[in-house]
Amino acid sequence: MPPVAAAKQPDIEYHPNVEKWKARIARRLAEDPSLPNNALPDGFPKKLESPLVWEGKDWKGEDQWVYNLSEEQLKEIDDAVKHFRGLDKPLGHLSPSTFPLPTLGPILSDLSRELYSGRGFFVLRTIPVDSYTREENVIIYAGVSSHIGSLRGVQDVEAGVLAHIKDLTDTHPTKVIGAPAYTTDKQVYHTDVGDIIALFALETAADGGASRISSSWRVYNELAETRPDLIRTLSEPWPFDRFDDTYDPRPLLYFHDGKAIIQYARRSFTGFLGLPRSKGIPPITEAQAEALDTIHFLAEKYQLGLNFQKGDIQYINNLSIFHGRDGFTDTPDKRRHLLRLWLRDEEKAWKIPEGLQPLWKRLFYTANIDEHRFPLDPEIRAGSKGAKY
């Protein structure tokens, strides 16, 4: 018998190519015309019904998702900064009790419910960032956000819970950058990890950089109706690259406790810049390549662009909403700079499927709050570094 050819990675890159996607669809349907008639995996619904199912065109204006802070509420935040400073505690101790917001706190708690059981996103506008030092802005961000989700997820191996999203290509060679967060590049649709993503705009770009979100539940409904075979593909184990020549086999998509949960970053299957895909792990399949592109282009179809202004804090449900951003241009006096937190509210939180529980444990329940780091300056977190310095 002739030797069996080794499995090969499909022709797919970090940036989706619409022509390649359409050609792959045509090729796979020609090979098996029955794919759209396949059954959904056991337990997966034909349609999700929820306020979390929406399209960008459903929203008429940003007053539907922006909460504008009043002068009285900004004064309350300023008083909370002074209160926390007076406690002389490490930043890991920021919480609703150490950062008290007597009137704003209950409003933030209600907005948190909107994340878990409403539309899944909102924007808080606007923190006067130029009135505060970098550390004070971090205190405000973490303190206010503790009223949304009191648990902060660690984002690196050194218990850093605060990440900087900023172009670092002028200070770091591209060979050490393994994630688009540290470039001016377009970020394709993806999720982070954890329940809630919070992003705080210390500064916006001179041009571009629009923040975009899309309902993964709307994407699910279209796939369930037109390509249930891709729901099955997404619900089966994938080789998530750990970028050390090992991988974690787990699905992208779960249906657990009545909720669809999707967790993935495209670069885990394609690599990015200085962090190419590991050669010693299984390639993804043609079906998986089609599924990756399909969820991206459907997310693009139903996306909503958010007018992210300096001083805004954006909160989104990371379990049900994809996010991405446009490419952008900085100038010396206007450089896009966001801060990121991963949050969880124990009381409102969804139940997490077994396949994700080890990750959630590592994020939210391993490091002690006294170990939490809040770096004040940008750094490339370990999981996004390419070649060693």
Side-chain angles (χ1 to χ4, degrees):
M1 289 180 61
V4 178
K8 191 170 67 170
Q9 178 80 353
D11 180 15
I12 188 168
E13 299 175 343
Y14 174 76
H15 288 291
N17 181 299
V18 68
E19 285 78 21
K20 290 181 181 179
W21 171 56
K22 289 179 178 178
R24 181 171 279 116
I25 292 173
R27 186 169 62 248
R28 295 194 66 240
L29 290 178
E31 292 169 355
D32 186 355
S34 70
L35 288 176
N37 300 319
N38 284 8
L40 287 166
D42 289 345
F44 281 72
K46 292 182 178 180
K47 188 174 183 180
L48 297 167
E49 303 277 2
S50 167
L52 290 166
V53 179
W54 50 259
E55 301 178 17
K57 65 180 178 60
D58 295 335
W59 306 104
K60 306 308 178 188
E62 64 179 15
D63 59 322
Q64 293 178 282
W65 65 81
V66 171
Y67 183 86
N68 290 287
L69 294 166
S70 68
E71 289 300 319
E72 293 77 15
Q73 290 166 336
L74 290 171
K75 173 66 165 55
E76 197 167 275
I77 290 171
D78 191 68
D79 290 343
V81 174
K82 295 182 177 70
H83 175 82
F84 182 77
R85 286 282 208 190
L87 299 177
D88 196 28
K89 289 179 177 289
L91 299 191
H93 287 260
L94 281 159
S95 70
S97 62
T98 63
F99 196 87
L101 299 172
T103 63
L104 179 58
I107 295 171
L108 294 176
S109 181
D110 287 342
L111 288 169
S112 175
R113 289 188 185 88
E114 188 69 41
L115 296 175
Y116 281 108
S117 54
R119 64 181 169 267
F121 67 96
F122 74 90
V123 172
L124 200 62
R125 180 170 292 165
T126 301
I127 303 298
V129 296
D130 291 337
S131 299
Y132 295 99
T133 66
R134 174 67 57 77
E135 184 177 39
E136 287 169 340
N137 274 308
V138 169
I139 290 172
I140 289 170
Y141 178 38
V144 167
S145 296
S146 72
H147 291 264
I148 302 295
S150 59
L151 294 182
R152 288 180 285 268
V154 297
Q155 302 189 40
D156 63 30
V157 294
E158 297 172 338
V161 296
L162 181 76
H164 294 254
I165 311 299
K166 187 178 183 182
D167 175 35
L168 299 180
T169 56
D170 58 347
T171 56
H172 295 69
T174 56
K175 69 179 182 180
V176 305
I177 295 175
Y182 308 115
T183 72
T184 61
D185 220 346
K186 175 181 178 178
Q187 275 192 295
V188 303
Y189 288 98
H190 65 287
T191 70
D192 285 13
V193 290
D195 295 36
I196 297 166
I197 306 169
L199 293 170
F200 180 24
L202 294 181
E203 184 57 274
T204 56
D207 184 58
S211 177
R212 302 195 180 275
I213 62 174
S214 189
S215 165
S216 66
W217 285 29
R218 179 63 186 88
V219 170
Y220 175 96
N221 281 352
E222 177 145 338
L223 286 177
E225 181 180 2
T226 63
R227 290 295 302 275
D229 60 300
L230 295 183
I231 295 287
R232 181 173 297 279
T233 297
L234 291 166
S235 70
E236 294 172 342
W238 290 49
F240 277 76
D241 197 346
R242 299 182 62 181
F243 296 106
D244 60 2
D245 286 325
T246 65
Y247 66 97
D248 290 325
R250 69 172 188 269
L252 270 66
L253 175 67
Y254 303 83
F255 189 72
H256 183 69
D257 194 39
K259 297 178 175 65
I261 294 174
I262 189 163
Q263 291 280 280
Y264 88 107
R266 187 178 172 99
R267 71 185 185 93
S268 298
F269 310 106
T270 65
F272 183 83
L273 279 186
L275 207 56
R277 183 164 171 80
S278 297
K279 295 186 181 302
I281 67 174
I284 64 172
T285 66
E286 284 291 328
Q288 289 171 334
E290 183 191 350
L292 266 187
D293 279 349
T294 300
I295 56 178
H296 169 81
F297 286 114
L298 287 180
E300 199 169 66
K301 177 180 177 181
Y302 297 122
Q303 63 85 25
L304 172 68
L306 301 181
N307 176 24
F308 213 4
Q309 299 180 12
K310 181 176 180 176
D312 284 358
I313 306 178
Q314 172 185 298
Y315 296 95
I316 69 171
N317 180 329
N318 185 57
L319 303 176
S320 68
I321 291 180
F322 299 123
H323 66 283
R325 70 144 194 253
D326 293 351
F328 63 92
T329 301
D330 282 336
T331 58
D333 59 344
K334 194 167 172 60
R335 297 175 59 83
R336 189 178 194 268
H337 188 177
L338 309 184
L339 301 180
R340 182 181 67 197
L341 292 168
W342 293 336
L343 305 171
R344 178 174 171 84
D345 182 309
E346 287 279 56
E347 293 181 4
K348 306 181 187 79
W350 296 1
K351 293 180 180 178
I352 300 302
E354 184 177 354
L356 293 175
Q357 287 177 11
L359 179 56
W360 255 245
K361 181 178 180 180
R362 188 164 74 244
L363 286 179
F364 295 110
Y365 305 104
T366 302
N368 185 284
I369 59 172
D370 288 315
E371 301 171 321
H372 284 181
R373 290 193 313 114
F374 294 77
L376 299 183
D377 296 309
E379 60 183 28
I380 299 177
R381 61 194 184 100
S384 299
K385 284 182 180 176
K388 301 297 184 186
Y389 289 93

